Structures are given as structure tokens and as C-alpha cells.
Amino acid sequence: MSDITRDSNGTELNDGDNVTLVKALKVKGSGGVTLKRGTMIKGIRLTGNTDEVDCRHEKVKGLVLRTEFLKKA
């Protein structure tokens, strides 16, 4: 993969990295779950799209987050 996935600060992200949210996000299709700013997401997985990462959270399964809202922990 020649494209590099970067967080909101421009830091390179890799599979298995831990990230924190830089903005509170309402998750669509989850029954009104809001992930608060500063929430730690552990063990991200890169997708083919450099603007998105696949991850898990105890409240939401199959979560895809945009990298513009993430900061490497």
C-alpha cells in the first residue's frame, strides 16, 4: 500500500495503533450513541481508503471512523 493513512495531526497510522477522538461524534444507526471527545479506541485496522479506519468500541460493533477526527495515542 503506497498511500499512507494519517491522523488529524499528520502522524502516520498503522494497524493495531490506539487512537483518541478529537471531537464528539454521533454514531449513525446505533440508536443514538455518542462517542465523546477523548475516547480511546484500541487496535484500529486500516482500510483501503486512507481517510477511514475500521475499529471496535464496546458500544458499537463494526465502527468505521474518519481519520480527520482521530489523534494517535
Side-chain angles (χ1 to χ4, degrees):
M1 182 185 287
S2 62
D3 295 330
I4 297 172
T5 302
R6 298 189 183 274
D7 69 1
S8 61
N9 295 332
T11 306
E12 184 177 346
L13 295 173
N14 300 302
D15 276 332
D17 282 347
N18 296 336
V19 295
T20 56
L21 297 178
V22 295
K23 179 182 176 182
L25 300 173
K26 291 182 182 178
V27 182
K28 292 183 180 178
S30 64
V33 172
T34 300
L35 298 177
K36 294 182 180 180
R37 180 177 181 263
T39 300
M40 170 80 72
I41 305 290
K42 297 182 180 182
I44 64 168
R45 290 181 306 281
L46 301 182
T47 63
N49 185 347
T50 58
D51 293 330
E52 297 177 344
V53 295
D54 191 26
C55 54
R56 271 192 209 146
H57 189 266
E58 62 264 4
K59 295 180 182 177
V60 184
K61 294 180 182 175
L63 185 61
V64 176
L65 294 174
R66 298 202 37 94
T67 55
E68 64 194 86
F69 302 119
L70 304 176
K71 177 176 73 170
K72 189 170 182 176

